[in-house]
Amino acid sequence: MKARLTLLAAAAVLAGCAAPGLSQGPQNLAPEKFAQLPPANTGAATMTAAFVDSAQLQRVVDDVLANNRDLRSAAARLRQAEALADAAGARRLPSVGANASASRQRAANDQGQYNTFNNYGVNATAGWEIDLWGRALAAAQAAGYDAQSAALDRDAAQLSLAGTALNLQAQLIGLGHRLKLAKETLVVQNQLLDLVKARVGAGRNTALDQARAEALVAQTSASVPALRNAACLTRLQLDVLRGQPPADCDKADSDALPAMPEPRLVSLGALPDPAGLLAARPDVKAAAVRAEAAASRANVAWASRWPSIGLSGSIGWSSGAASDLFKSATRVNSLAAALNWNFLDFGARKAEESAARAGFDAAVAGAEQAQLVALQDAQGSLSTLRETELQAVSQAAAADATLRARDLAFKRYDAGVADFYSLLTAEQERLAAQDALIQVQTGRATALLAVHKAFAARLTAN
């Protein structure tokens, strides 16, 4: 009884110690609103559905989510974290065990005579550590936060990899259109070359005109292998994301090229405000949960500095004959309480607590940095979309003007009122403007996809 009172008195004295006062958690760094939003344009569509929501893009996303090795690894880490959380929660409960034994021993008695002894035993034990300072609870909470952050990390990885795959697919579509343009242009330029050769033979053009026409055909032909190689490298990156071995780049794609988006300003629907963005981003939420886990680990380190009280008990039966087991005379039982306190450790546990607090401060800084990166990502994607929208409209006008100029130059050349050099110059400008338009339209598509990724949601047009 006296020992019991001593334990309670010690617990009452130490109960005045409070958990460590950790620094403030992550601050909400969201501004009131985003700047440089894309211009509102009611009635304009977000790109042709054939491009943004095509079956090709959906298949790419499905393949990545099903086969990407990084996502499989993230899923395995989630299962691991969930199992560790279950184990940490179970440690807060009493433990119960049972064992049975049988032995046969030959030994000398007090008179030096050797005898053989049999012993049989069955017993059950139970133990439980009273969680005075919340150490076991904090450890279970930390493991639970680890599982939550692992799930959010998996979601963030899915979003990031799907966005990267869509970006690569959009680039691949753009390269396909550029390659198609180059091949179609080669047909026209070879026709011009045949025409100028015929006129040189008739004395109506010079050898210089023919050389310039041949040079133009050769320049356009040189762009074809470069575009094919760029498409090949992009396709190889997609194969890795899909978890597939590299495909044969010489094999033609089975899917037809989607139409390029119309050069019209997009009109985004209602965008979430910055605070709503941070609440939706899985990477931001994962960083915040990791800060919670670090706070729980700081509490574990603090609680480990103080005494622990454990209760244990056992009940069993021990007899020299198996037939006598479970008789009242052979029963053995015990009940005990123990206080353990390593109060002299030369500052080891205090240093561990300081390390845990520093880990919490680092996690808080990481959570705030994740907010800043998410806000930068969103604002940057909106700014890029805004500028590429304006660029696409201007570039479309330029491409249309160069096409009309080329047609007019051909008519003037055919009528004999303009030289062949003017026609070649107009054709070069047309090809350059058309190719630039495809690149701008591809950038426009990837910019809109970047907005989808940055806001962790699918945006729709008004």
Side-chain angles (χ1 to χ4, degrees):
M1 183 67 176
K2 183 177 180 180
R4 179 173 178 272
L5 291 176
T6 302
L7 291 176
L8 293 178
V13 171
L14 293 173
C17 301
L22 297 175
S23 61
Q24 186 178 8
Q27 300 181 26
N28 190 333
L29 303 179
E32 292 184 6
K33 61 181 181 179
F34 289 109
Q36 293 183 323
L37 293 176
N41 186 23
T42 304
T46 56
M47 308 203 181
T48 55
F51 190 84
V52 174
D53 298 318
S54 69
Q56 280 179 300
L57 297 187
Q58 187 59 52
R59 282 198 298 273
V60 167
V61 172
D62 292 342
D63 287 345
V64 168
L65 297 183
N67 302 311
N68 184 267
R69 298 303 191 268
D70 289 334
L71 289 182
R72 290 186 184 180
S73 178
R77 287 193 294 271
L78 173 57
R79 294 194 301 271
Q80 180 186 40
E82 289 174 341
L84 292 175
D86 291 340
R91 292 190 186 99
R92 299 181 59 203
L93 303 175
S95 61
V96 179
N99 63 73
S101 63
S103 64
R104 185 178 179 86
Q105 180 181 7
R106 181 175 174 78
N109 58 19
D110 294 341
Q111 287 76 33
Q113 297 176 339
Y114 283 84
N115 296 307
T116 300
F117 301 94
N118 295 327
N119 186 69
Y120 302 92
V122 175
N123 70 305
T125 60
W128 181 39
E129 179 181 340
I130 300 176
D131 196 16
L132 285 177
W133 322 111
R135 183 184 61 82
L137 173 60
Q141 288 175 336
Y145 288 134
D146 287 341
Q148 291 181 37
S149 65
L152 291 167
D153 285 338
R154 177 204 57 191
D155 295 343
Q158 288 178 341
L159 178 65
S160 177
L161 289 170
T164 301
L166 289 174
N167 185 287
L168 289 172
Q169 183 66 23
Q171 293 181 33
L172 189 59
I173 292 173
L175 288 168
H177 279 279
R178 293 180 65 194
L179 186 59
K180 179 182 177 183
L181 172 65
K183 291 179 178 179
E184 291 175 347
T185 300
L186 273 176
V187 174
V188 176
Q189 291 177 354
N190 277 304
Q191 292 173 349
L192 289 177
L193 178 58
D194 292 339
L195 175 62
V196 76
K197 283 181 179 180
R199 294 200 173 193
V200 168
R204 297 175 58 186
N205 280 103
T206 66
L208 178 59
D209 292 333
Q210 180 176 337
R212 284 172 171 167
E214 290 173 347
L216 182 59
V217 170
Q219 289 175 356
T220 305
S221 298
S223 68
V224 171
L227 290 171
R228 278 203 306 258
N229 184 58
C232 175
L233 297 179
T234 304
R235 189 175 291 110
L236 292 177
Q237 293 181 65
L238 267 176
D239 289 338
V240 171
L241 289 180
R242 289 167 163 174
Q244 300 174 355
D248 184 2
C249 288
D250 293 331
K251 183 179 179 181
D253 290 335
S254 58
D255 294 320
L257 281 174
M260 290 302 293
E262 294 293 331
R264 296 180 297 177
L265 298 178
V266 299
S267 178
L268 298 175
L271 288 171
D273 58 17
L277 165 71
L278 297 182
R281 290 269 300 223
D283 53 342
V284 174
K285 292 190 287 186
V289 171
R290 278 192 285 271
E292 295 283 355
S296 295
R297 288 192 172 88
N299 287 328
V300 171
W302 170 82
S304 297
R305 296 178 57 189
W306 308 110
S308 62
I309 297 177
L311 301 178
S312 62
S314 66
I315 182 171
W317 292 264
S318 179
S319 173
S323 59
D324 292 335
L325 280 176
F326 304 112
K327 293 181 179 180
S328 59
T330 63
R331 189 176 70 183
V332 179
N333 54 58
S334 67
L335 182 63
L339 182 146
N340 296 304
W341 188 14
N342 187 7
F343 58 87
L344 183 60
D345 60 2
F346 301 97
R349 284 183 171 81
K350 184 176 181 180
E352 291 173 353
E353 181 185 350
S354 297
R357 288 193 180 198
F360 171 73
D361 292 338
V364 168
E368 293 179 349
Q369 180 67 13
Q371 293 184 46
L372 293 175
V373 171
L375 292 170
Q376 177 195 20
D377 189 16
Q379 184 64 77
S381 65
L382 289 172
S383 177
T384 301
L385 179 60
R386 176 177 180 270
E387 298 305 324
T388 53
E389 283 294 313
L390 299 173
Q391 185 184 8
V393 173
S394 298
Q395 189 61 49
D400 183 65
T402 57
L403 178 60
R404 287 185 282 107
R406 194 280 308 267
D407 292 342
L408 185 59
F410 181 80
K411 291 178 181 178
R412 289 172 59 81
Y413 169 73
D414 193 46
V417 295
D419 59 10
F420 188 69
Y421 181 72
S422 299
L423 175 58
L424 287 182
T425 301
E427 171 61 16
Q428 286 177 314
E429 291 174 349
R430 180 199 70 83
L431 175 59
Q434 290 287 344
D435 187 72
L437 176 60
I438 294 175
Q439 294 184 61
V440 171
Q441 290 173 319
T442 302
R444 178 174 176 262
T446 57
L448 183 56
L449 293 172
V451 172
H452 285 235
K453 177 183 172 183
F455 284 84
R458 177 174 292 276
L459 303 180
T460 57
N462 287 336

